[in-house]
Amino acid sequence: MAWGLFTSILERESKQHIERVSLQGEGEPMMHPRFWDMVDAIRAHGLVPYTITNGSLMDALRVAAAFPAIGISIDTIDPEYAQRIGRFKLHRVLRNLDALLGVLSPNRIIIHTVDMGQPLEPLKLFLRRRGINQHMIQPLQPKADYAKRYSPGESPTWGACTYRCRFLAAPLMRYYDITGLELPCCFIKNTADFVSSEQLRQQLNQRIVPTCCQGCGAIFPHAKVELPAPSDMVTSR
Ligand SMILES: C[S@@+](CC[C@H](N)C(=O)[O-])C[C@H]1O[C@@H](n2cnc3c(N)ncnc32)[C@H](O)[C@@H]1O
Ligand code: SF4
C-alpha cells in the first residue's frame, strides 16, 4: 500500500472507536519498505499495532519495543516439510524466534499454524519448551478464492450455508486492500465481484451466496479441505 493512502486511512480510522491496526495480507508485511514507519504512525495515533509475520526478517529489539503482541507463522519445525510447503527459511525463522525470546516475554508471542495434516506434536513441544502458550492452529481455508491455488488433490467440500455472517452482522473488522478498497473481513481475495458490504448483506438475506463469499467458513460451518495422505502431499505455489 502506498504511504499516502495508508496515512489517509489511518487518519480517518483513528477518529473511529478502534483499538488495533493489523498490518497484514497474503504477502510478508516486514518486506514493505516503510513497514516500521507504518508501525510508528499507528503508535503515534495512540493505537495498538499488530501483525502476523513469517519471521524471516524479524528485528527482535524493534519488535519488542513496538508490539505489545506479535503473531508469527510456524507450520512445522521439520526442515524437509517446511521446504515442501514453501516455508523456505525455517532455520532463520527459528533463530529469529529465539532472539525475540531473549528480549520479550513468551506471553507476547502468538504462533499461527495451518493444519495441513502434518504432525503437530514436535512443534507443540518446541513451543512449550520455550514457554509459548498462545498457539492458534487453523485448518486450510476452504474458500473458493483460496482453494483455486491448491494442488488438485486438495479439494474443498462446503456443505450447507447458514446465510449469517458475523462480520456483516456487526462491524468486527474493516479491512483495506492495497488499493484502499474497504472490505468487511480479510477473507476476500478476489475482489472483482465485490460491490459493498450492504450488497453482501442483502444477498445473504435473500439466501443467495455472494460470489466473493463462496465456501467461507463464516457461513459454511462444515466446510473443509480434503487433503491427500501426508506422504503424497506436494504443495504448489
Ligand atoms: C495472511 S498470512 C501472511 C502473513 C505472513 N506472510 C506469514 O506468512 O505469516 C497470515 C496467516 O494466514 C495463514 N494462511 C495463509 N494462507 C492460508 C490458507 N490457505 N489457509 C489457512 N490459513 C492460511 C498463514 O499461514 C498465516 O499464519
Ligand atoms: S468472505 Fe466470509 S467473512 Fe467475509 S463477508 Fe463473506 S461470508 Fe463474511
Side-chain angles (χ1 to χ4, degrees):
M1 181 179 283
W3 179 252
L5 179 58
F6 169 75
T7 51
S8 67
I9 292 172
L10 185 61
E11 202 55 49
R12 198 168 69 234
E13 285 294 340
S14 62
K15 297 192 176 78
Q16 310 290 324
H17 295 289
I18 60 161
E19 286 172 18
R20 193 167 83 149
V21 178
S22 190
L23 296 170
Q24 70 189 66
E26 288 311 307
E28 169 48 37
M30 291 188 183
M31 288 283 287
H32 193 290
R34 298 197 69 177
F35 175 79
W36 287 105
D37 290 338
M38 289 179 170
V39 173
D40 290 344
I42 292 167
R43 298 178 73 219
H45 280 82
L47 299 167
V48 175
Y50 186 71
T51 192
I52 303 179
T53 171
N54 68 22
S56 64
L57 296 170
M58 242 175 0
D59 177 333
L61 286 174
R62 278 186 114 166
V63 168
F67 285 91
I70 179 125
I72 304 170
S73 301
I74 303 180
D75 296 325
T76 181
I77 53 163
D78 175 348
E80 205 179 301
Y81 187 78
Q83 196 70 16
R84 283 170 62 190
I85 61 171
R87 296 283 187 190
F88 298 126
K89 301 195 170 72
L90 179 67
H91 181 69
R92 198 202 296 178
V93 172
L94 299 184
R95 202 180 55 213
N96 287 347
L97 176 65
D98 280 337
L100 193 58
L101 283 164
V103 289
L104 58 66
S105 154
N107 297 337
R108 289 168 57 191
I109 299 176
I110 302 159
I111 300 297
H112 296 261
T113 297
V114 180
D115 182 354
M116 288 168 269
Q118 74 276 37
L120 290 172
E121 272 315 310
L123 172 59
K124 287 181 185 171
L125 185 63
F126 173 92
L127 298 178
R128 251 195 324 269
R129 282 194 180 133
R130 283 160 175 75
I132 299 175
N133 299 316
Q134 299 186 82
H135 188 194
M136 313 216 5
I137 303 174
Q138 60 172 355
L140 257 187
Q141 169 64 257
K143 238 183 134 250
D145 48 5
Y146 286 69
K148 73 175 186 189
R149 310 249 175 221
Y150 299 160
S151 306
E154 300 167 349
S155 49
T157 51
W158 297 340
C161 182
T162 61
Y163 300 102
R164 279 195 305 272
C165 169
R166 62 195 180 97
F167 290 91
L168 293 168
L172 296 183
M173 180 192 288
R174 277 191 296 281
Y175 180 86
Y176 294 91
D177 77 359
I178 57 167
T179 70
L181 177 67
E182 184 187 325
L183 298 148
C185 66
C186 60
F187 305 115
I188 301 174
K189 301 304 169 198
N190 180 1
T191 55
D193 296 302
F194 176 81
V195 175
S196 66
S197 296
E198 189 45 40
Q199 193 201 53
L200 299 187
R201 253 179 241 113
Q202 284 170 9
Q203 287 179 318
L204 288 174
N205 282 341
Q206 294 162 16
R207 300 181 78 76
I208 297 167
V209 179
T211 309
C212 57
C213 301
Q214 282 176 5
C216 180
I219 53 172
F220 290 90
H222 305 295
K224 60 176 191 294
V225 180
E226 302 289 351
L227 289 162
S231 57
D232 303 334
M233 280 170 98
V234 179
T235 302
S236 60
R237 290 242 158 187

